Amino acid sequence: MVINRLVSVVGVVLLLSALAVIYSKYYSRLIFIEIQKQERALDQYEVEWGQMQLELTMLAEQNRVELVAREQLKLVMPLREKIIYIKP
């Protein structure tokens, strides 16, 4: 009688342990899938960041700034004798 009860308890504990292992494996796979999604998103953001850095560099180049100043803002370079240099 005691042995049957002990076997039943051990069987239930074994079953619960097996279910816990299955659940933890399933949960770890879900977490791994989420990590992969986030890594792909990070890679995409890094590519986009690089593209924006290139665009910023291109837009901030001296000749580009001068071209926009001349064409869109209608600015002209002052005459050499009109330029005043200030020493620090």
Side-chain angles (χ1 to χ4, degrees), residues 5-47:
R5 186 174 237 181
L6 184 61
V7 169
S8 296
V9 170
V10 169
V12 169
V13 169
L14 183 62
L15 181 62
L16 290 176
S17 175
L19 289 175
V21 168
I22 292 169
Y23 175 75
S24 67
K25 186 67 173 177
Y26 171 74
Y27 188 68
S28 70
R29 284 183 181 165
L30 287 179
I31 292 174
F32 180 72
I33 290 169
E34 184 62 30
I35 288 171
Q36 285 183 327
K37 285 180 187 176
Q38 296 299 323
E39 284 178 347
R40 281 192 297 270
L42 177 62
D43 290 342
Q44 183 60 35
Y45 290 138
E46 286 177 349
V47 167

Side-chain angles (χ1 to χ4, degrees), residues 73-85:
L73 301 176
K74 307 297 185 220
L75 296 178
V76 294
M77 192 72 167
L79 297 173
R80 194 172 278 267
E81 55 269 0
K82 298 278 187 178
I83 297 175
I84 300 173
Y85 293 99

Side-chain angles (χ1 to χ4, degrees), residues 63-76:
N63 57 356
R64 168 93 170 113
V65 173
E66 187 176 339
L67 183 66
V68 170
R70 286 180 193 268
E71 291 179 358
Q72 293 180 5
L73 301 176
K74 307 297 185 220
L75 296 178
V76 294

